[in-house]
């Protein structure tokens, strides 16, 4: 069992939900958040929010995912990101869970 954290701009919320469903992750939590990044010292191309704005409407998802479903989820995210014309992408991080109840 792994804890998955997914962040994305709010416009990608439906797509992230579809990715989770395709990876057989049927239970998850998500929340609207303000994404913030100090991009004053970066070129616009390296800013993952895709603009010079410092705040953007974003979402963060949390889910416990079975090991066998992780590859499917990573493939879904990679495929989605590869199709994007925008600089913004879906970001996926996996954390190990030592114990859960």
């Amino acid at each position: 069992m792994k804890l998955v954290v997914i962040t994305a701009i709010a416009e990608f919320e439906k797509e992230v939900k579809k990715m989770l469903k395709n990876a057989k992750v049927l239970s998850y939590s998500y929340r609207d958040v303000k994404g913030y990044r100090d991009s004053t010292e970066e070129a616009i191309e390296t800013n993952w929010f895709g603009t010079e704005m410092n705040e953007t409407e974003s979402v963060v998802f949390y889910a416990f995912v079975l090991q066998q479903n992780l590859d499917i989820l990573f493939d879904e995210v990679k495929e989605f990101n590869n199709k994007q014309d925008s600089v913004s992408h879906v970001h996926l991080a996996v954390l190990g869970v030592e114990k859960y109840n």
Side-chain angles (χ1 to χ4, degrees):
M1 181 75 63
K2 300 290 183 178
L3 175 60
V4 171
V5 178
I6 301 172
T7 61
I9 58 172
E11 289 82 2
F12 294 162
E13 180 180 329
K14 286 182 183 179
E15 289 85 353
V16 172
K17 289 177 181 178
K18 183 178 177 185
M19 290 178 220
L20 288 164
K21 183 176 182 178
N22 290 345
K24 298 183 178 24
V25 179
L26 304 178
S27 298
Y28 54 84
S29 300
Y30 73 100
R31 182 165 185 88
D32 294 330
V33 295
K34 289 274 190 194
Y36 177 80
R37 180 161 180 106
D38 181 359
S39 60
T40 57
E41 296 184 25
E42 290 184 3
I44 188 73
E45 299 84 30
T46 60
N47 179 348
W48 74 278
F49 289 114
T51 68
E52 291 180 356
M53 290 184 353
N54 289 330
E55 289 188 3
T56 189
E57 298 297 322
S58 301
V59 287
V60 62
F61 288 79
Y62 305 95
F64 288 102
V65 178
L66 295 173
Q67 184 69 44
Q68 63 263 29
N69 296 340
L70 281 177
D71 288 337
I72 297 168
L73 187 56
F74 270 101
D75 289 344
E76 290 280 329
V77 170
K78 183 177 181 180
E79 182 179 334
F80 178 81
N81 286 338
N82 286 339
K83 292 180 181 177
Q84 294 308 304
D85 291 330
S86 69
V87 177
S88 269
H89 288 98
V90 172
H91 299 273
L92 170 61
V94 178
L95 301 125
V97 177
E98 293 180 28
K99 284 186 172 184
Y100 65 94
N101 191 357

